[in-house]
């Protein structure tokens, strides 16, 4: 575990990763469905990518909105029938303070490169009874901040601030954001947790 790294200090161990949107273009698989089952009520799919989870949640009867900074992703999400907006999670969003779940699938706790700041922002978006469903890196990954290069179809490349949070660091990150871990899960090797308002 790399708990010695300050979360609010300079960038931790270097992170420079490549994320390819084609990786998430497939329909929701068994483990995606297990992750989605942790979502309750109206759900904001933050960094929805091509919308596989947004569409799956809609099929399950959720009120669900996907948001993504990449117009390519929003277009693909809409093509599969999902409601999606081209929006940064730090922009003004519909339903602020009323969402019951914020979903951070597939490492999206890294959005913005500062996991504590992201979780603070999600607390503004959520109803006080709300939850964050977060997918994490495996234990031992530590907390790393840096850059990701996102690759979209047609050769479009976008650099974004990114971070990684290992499953054994999630309590510390949640605590700094005023949240607590209320359950932990492993779905086919994918490490996930539910975060709720700390008592
Ligand atoms: C790991 S991929 C998404 C995968 C998707 N959640 C899935 O499981 O299929 C990360 C996504 O986050 C989006 N993203 C990055 N920064 C963002 C921000 N500040 N606000 C909203 N979306 C963002 C990227 O454009 C990218 O589509």
């Amino acid at each position: 575990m790399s708990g010695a790294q300050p979360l609010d200090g300079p960038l931790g161990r270097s992170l420079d990763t490549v994320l390819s949107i084609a990786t998430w273009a497939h329909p929701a698989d068994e483990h995606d469905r297990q992750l989605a089952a942790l979502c309750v009520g109206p759900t904001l799919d933050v960094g929805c990518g091509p919308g596989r989870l947004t569409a799956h949640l809609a099929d399950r009867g959720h009120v669900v909105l996907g948001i993504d900074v990449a117009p390519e992703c929003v277009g693909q999400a809409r093509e599969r029938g999902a409601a999606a907006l081209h929006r940064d999670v730090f922009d003004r969003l519909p339903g602020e303070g009323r969402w019951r779940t914020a979903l951070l699938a597939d490492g999206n706790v890294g959005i913005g490169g500062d996991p504590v700041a992201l979780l603070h922002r999600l607390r503004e978006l959520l109803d006080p009874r709300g939850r964050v469903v977060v997918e994490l890196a495996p234990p031992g990954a530590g907390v790393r901040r840096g850059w990701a290069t996102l690759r979209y179809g047609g050769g479009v490349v976008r650099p974004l601030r990114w971070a990684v949070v290992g499953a054994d660091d999630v309590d510390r990150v949640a605590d700094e954001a005023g949240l607590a871990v209320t359950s932990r899960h492993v779905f086919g090797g994918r490490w996930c947790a539910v975060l709720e308002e700390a008592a």
Side-chain angles (χ1 to χ4, degrees):
M1 169 167 167
S2 55
Q5 292 169 36
L7 298 178
D8 56 353
L11 297 187
R13 276 194 279 146
S14 66
L15 171 70
D16 187 3
T17 189
V18 175
L19 307 170
S20 175
I21 287 306
T23 310
W24 303 287
H26 59 82
D29 64 20
E30 176 194 350
H31 304 306
D32 294 325
R33 292 194 293 273
Q34 289 173 311
L35 176 68
L38 298 175
C39 299
V40 297
T43 296
L44 188 66
D45 185 2
V46 178
C48 64
R52 63 188 170 138
L53 284 157
T54 324
H56 171 68
L57 284 162
D59 287 346
R60 281 173 49 91
H62 282 262
V63 170
V64 56
L65 176 66
I67 57 163
D68 205 290
V69 285
E72 300 86 351
C73 289
V74 173
Q76 289 185 37
R78 288 179 180 163
E79 274 169 26
R80 63 201 319 159
L85 283 182
H86 177 212
R87 212 62 74 81
D88 189 309
V89 66
F90 292 98
D91 290 344
R92 187 131 186 89
L93 291 171
E96 296 221 6
R98 297 203 300 275
W99 296 97
R100 287 299 300 271
T101 300
L103 174 61
L104 295 174
D106 227 330
N108 279 6
V109 70
I111 283 176
D114 183 340
V116 174
L118 176 63
L119 293 177
H120 273 299
R121 170 62 180 142
L122 297 185
R123 286 180 68 199
E124 293 175 349
L125 295 172
L126 287 168
D127 179 284
R129 299 161 296 169
R131 58 171 53 189
V132 181
V133 173
V134 57
E135 186 170 349
L136 302 152
V143 179
R144 289 182 286 152
R145 300 167 59 193
W147 291 90
T149 304
L150 268 79
R151 293 191 191 284
Y152 304 94
V156 180
V157 171
R158 192 185 306 265
L160 292 170
R161 284 270 182 208
W162 200 252
V164 164
V165 177
D168 47 356
D169 281 301
V170 65
D171 295 83
R172 184 168 63 105
V173 172
D175 183 63
E176 289 209 18
L179 295 167
V181 178
T182 54
S183 67
R184 300 163 209 272
H185 311 265
V186 185
F187 302 130
R190 292 167 63 180
W191 296 76
C192 310
V194 175
L195 315 183
E196 295 175 88
E197 286 290 312

